[in-house]
Amino acid sequence: MICPVCNKDMFVIEYKRVELDYCHICKGAWFDAGEMELLLETAGLKDGTQAVHDVLKLPEAHTAEKKRRCPICGKNMKKVIIGGEKGVMIDACFQHHGLWFDGGEVADLMKIVSEQAGCKKETESEIMCFLKDVFQG
Amino acid sequence: MGALLVFIGWFIGLVFAANGIAGLVIALIIWGIMTLVAYFQGDNILLSVAGAKKISPSDHQQLYDVVEEMKIASGLEKMPDIYIIDDPSLNAFATGRDPNHAAVSITSGLLQKLNRDELQGVIGHEISHIKHRDVLLMSMCSVLLGTIVILSFYASRMMMFGAIFGGGGGGGRRGSSKNSGGGGGAAIIILVLAILLMILAPLFAQLIYFAISRKREYLADASSALYTRYPAGLASALEKLEQSTTPVKNATQATAPMYIVNPFRNKLNVNNLTSTHPPLEERIRILRSMAGGAAYANYDQAYRQVKNTNSGIISPQSAAAAGTVGLRAAVAGGPVEPPVDDKVSRTRDVNDMMYRMNDYKTIECECGAKLKVPPSMQGSMIKCPRCGRAHQA
Ligand SMILES: [Zn+2]
Ligand SMILES: [Zn+2]
């Protein structure tokens, strides 16, 4: 998989049997739709296949940040804010291929998760908690 | 069906003859070249465009076993090659001009999603396309379709040219450049005919093409039920295809150029089901209504029942020849795993196979994370993003 920011090869990190693609240059991470499905269904959430669909339902965020292209289909992705009002802005593929988290976004996200009281059994929360789990070190 | 195709070809040829035989000859040469390319190179082109990788038994033992079982059940003499396509969408297809030069291809996405019974159902369907030489039939049909499209386009252009500049009856070369009063009416008739032909011939050809294609799909479903003796397996696989939201990666770019010369119809593809395949929901209902046996006769009966019709889909001869075949129970595969664990294992197995085939190296970090490194990054130091430990890749 090629990093949508640096255009360089990413490597894969597998944790708790779920994979992320990680760019060691910009520290961004790609969360594939299929992997998200595994994570959510392992957590006992009913329909993991809807994860990207749910995120895409969020309103388009107004920003000057450059559009990112999905590393799978190469099409422009949608910018949305997850994790509530003061959440982080991420990119979601309109074709449901997955979600992209910029390097800085992962760090912001970890801050938000640690401020919250634990993880809720709900799509966004599970995704953010998993990312924190992977990158906590 | 064939007669209708020949008729269209003949009709276009007739119209062409009025304007000059050269166009017909050129079109026939095009058809000949396209047929030869489709016959000898079609599979290679298709497989390289689709980014397929040939696998050996050790790459994915279960898939190999399932293909071998279906090869034996169908009575094929030669084991088809097996290809994996690195694509998250759900798709499978058969290629090969005859049963001795055949291959089954499946996307990594579909391989991850299906359990053994479902995989067997899908492979049974594809093996039927090989066994019944559908690939050759459909590729010849699609070449013919492509030729008709080109022919009618070319023919109508020629006629319009002739009608506008030729002043009626004659072609451009023979006609005079000034319009005579009597030629006007004939010109309009020819123009109307040209437009009708341009619109109708390809549509007509396409309809016939789809009708043939649909019939072969029903037959492949019926054969899959027969080979596996478990129609519920394919039914359940089709249900997963129906629910899938993942579109085919680069579907248009990759497949559109192949359309004319290639049998890209013989596959289970959600995107194409509306046209070349019968509705998924109907195919599922037929398979689910099969009662009392897995023979062609049982499928035919279920087909009539679901379609509420008296005419079956399987010819009585082949139904009789296949005899009676009982249904089998679902495969009890060792200790029963919860479905989600099963799904996770399948995904990890298929992905790890893809990594092995692409020469990735796996590093197990002490923190519990596994790092899978592509060849381009091997030899450099990799920092585990979880714990920060450095590894030599
Ligand atoms: Zn990067
Ligand atoms: Zn995409």
Side-chain angles (χ1 to χ4, degrees):
Chain A
M1 188 92 68
I2 307 291
C3 172
V5 179
C6 320
N7 282 322
K8 292 272 161 50
D9 261 332
M10 296 195 276
F11 67 84
V12 178
I13 173 164
E14 178 190 326
Y15 185 64
K16 288 184 177 164
R17 311 199 72 201
V18 174
E19 285 181 357
L20 291 173
D21 294 273
Y22 175 77
C23 174
H24 71 296
I25 303 167
C26 67
K27 315 236 178 302
W30 169 255
F31 207 154
D32 193 80
E35 298 298 324
M36 238 175 301
E37 186 182 329
L38 295 180
L39 171 75
L40 297 172
E41 287 182 12
T42 311
L45 283 164
K46 207 167 72 266
D47 200 359
T49 52
Q50 292 301 305
V52 186
H53 187 81
D54 290 349
V55 172
L56 280 171
K57 271 193 260 173
L58 297 167
E60 173 107 50
H62 298 284
T63 172
E65 197 183 272
K66 203 169 166 265
K67 286 260 183 213
R68 305 259 184 250
R69 284 173 185 279
C70 167
I72 292 185
C73 63
K75 300 213 173 84
N76 274 338
M77 294 191 279
K78 181 179 184 178
K79 302 238 180 245
V80 292
I81 292 173
I82 65 163
E85 294 255 306
K86 287 189 194 132
V88 292
M89 189 164 61
I90 63 158
D91 300 81
C93 170
F94 283 104
Q95 316 270 324
H96 301 103
H97 285 130
L99 305 178
W100 171 257
F101 299 81
D102 276 335
E105 290 164 6
V106 175
D108 293 347
L109 193 140
M110 288 199 275
K111 226 185 290 158
I112 297 172
V113 176
S114 19
E115 281 164 12
Q116 283 173 356
C119 294
K120 280 177 278 184
K121 276 239 172 298
E122 170 267 326
T123 306
E124 279 179 38
S125 173
E126 280 290 347
I127 293 169
M128 287 162 57
C129 283
F130 177 74
L131 285 167
K132 179 175 184 287
D133 241 10
V134 173
F135 296 113
Q136 68 183 11
Chain B
M1 297 291 178
L4 285 168
L5 287 169
V6 168
F7 173 74
I8 293 169
W10 171 79
F11 180 70
I12 292 168
L14 197 72
V15 174
F16 254 109
N19 270 354
I21 211 85
L24 181 63
V25 172
I26 289 168
L28 283 176
I29 290 170
I30 292 172
W31 180 34
I33 291 171
M34 287 194 338
T35 305
L36 287 176
V37 169
Y39 189 82
F40 290 108
Q41 281 299 316
D43 311 336
N44 294 342
I45 295 172
L46 174 60
L47 290 175
S48 62
V49 166
K53 281 212 167 96
K54 194 167 159 178
I55 64 157
S56 56
S58 59
D59 290 324
H60 200 285
Q61 193 63 48
Q62 188 186 65
L63 176 61
Y64 186 86
D65 291 347
V66 165
V67 174
E68 196 172 34
E69 286 160 22
M70 292 298 95
K71 173 232 162 203
I72 294 166
S74 66
L76 272 186
E77 275 173 27
K78 193 176 167 290
M79 179 78 177
D81 290 336
I82 306 169
Y83 286 84
I84 302 271
I85 296 161
D86 190 3
D87 186 333
S89 65
L90 311 185
N91 208 338
F93 56 87
T95 47
R97 62 179 184 264
D98 65 55
N100 290 325
H101 299 87
V104 198
S105 303
I106 183 166
T107 59
S108 52
L110 189 58
L111 197 54
Q112 285 173 7
K113 288 280 186 307
L114 302 183
N115 67 32
R116 199 181 198 286
D117 282 330
E118 293 158 349
L119 183 64
Q120 206 187 34
V122 168
I123 298 296
H125 176 106
E126 299 309 330
I127 293 279
S128 165
H129 283 315
I130 295 172
K131 170 83 179 168
H132 297 109
R133 296 172 184 258
D134 292 349
V135 181
L136 182 64
L137 175 74
M138 293 319 294
S139 73
M140 290 305 126
C141 282
S142 69
V143 165
L144 207 50
L145 168 63
T147 311
I148 287 168
V149 171
I150 293 172
L151 267 172
S152 58
F153 178 77
Y154 192 53
S156 50
R157 278 298 156 95
M158 288 277 283
M159 285 192 299
M160 269 194 249
F161 186 81
I164 293 163
F165 297 99
R173 279 167 298 149
R174 283 180 287 138
S176 69
S177 58
K178 57 178 195 293
N179 274 335
S180 62
I188 288 167
I189 290 170
I190 289 175
L191 197 67
V192 169
L193 191 72
I195 291 166
L196 270 180
L197 186 70
M198 187 168 77
I199 296 167
L200 288 183
L203 274 182
F204 200 38
Q206 211 151 2
L207 281 179
I208 296 168
Y209 176 72
F210 289 160
I212 298 173
S213 170
R214 284 202 199 106
K215 197 169 177 192
R216 307 313 286 190
E217 287 308 310
Y218 285 121
L219 178 64
D221 283 357
S223 304
S224 172
L226 176 70
Y227 303 157
T228 60
R229 299 197 294 120
Y230 190 64
L234 179 58
S236 162
L238 294 178
E239 277 157 9
K240 287 187 177 173
L241 283 163
E242 194 176 31
Q243 286 156 15
S244 161
T245 52
T246 320
V248 177
K249 177 166 70 174
N250 296 331
T252 47
Q253 295 98 302
T255 57
M258 304 308 305
Y259 182 74
I260 306 292
V261 290
N262 230 285
F264 219 72
R265 307 295 101 194
N266 297 313
K267 57 179 186 175
L268 294 157
N269 181 344
V270 191
N271 291 6
N272 281 339
L273 283 161
T274 45
S275 48
T276 57
H277 290 51
L280 266 180
E281 183 258 346
E282 188 183 282
R283 293 169 62 193
I284 294 165
R285 269 206 296 155
I286 296 171
L287 289 163
R288 290 261 186 234
S289 334
M290 283 178 77
Y296 280 155
N298 302 100
Y299 185 88
D300 208 50
Q301 199 183 1
Y303 175 89
R304 287 161 202 250
Q305 193 189 321
V306 167
K307 301 273 279 184
N308 206 5
T309 168
N310 278 326
S311 53
I313 190 78
I314 312 276
S315 72
Q317 302 95 294
S318 40
T324 54
V325 181
L327 296 168
R328 71 161 168 81
V331 172
V336 183
E337 266 189 286
V340 61
D341 288 356
D342 201 35
K343 198 167 158 182
V344 175
S345 307
R346 243 175 9 231
T347 308
R348 288 288 70 85
D349 287 351
V350 172
N351 276 13
D352 285 343
M353 173 183 69
M354 300 312 295
Y355 294 136
R356 271 200 308 280
M357 281 165 40
N358 290 301
D359 300 316
Y360 275 59
K361 289 266 170 345
T362 301
I363 301 166
E364 299 208 15
C365 186
E366 286 99 289
C367 70
K370 272 188 207 166
L371 311 180
K372 300 165 193 182
V373 187
S376 66
M377 293 170 68
Q378 286 165 20
S380 53
M381 293 300 278
I382 301 279
K383 231 168 126 187
C384 171
R386 185 169 146 74
C387 64
R389 283 188 186 85
H391 300 273
Q392 174 74 38

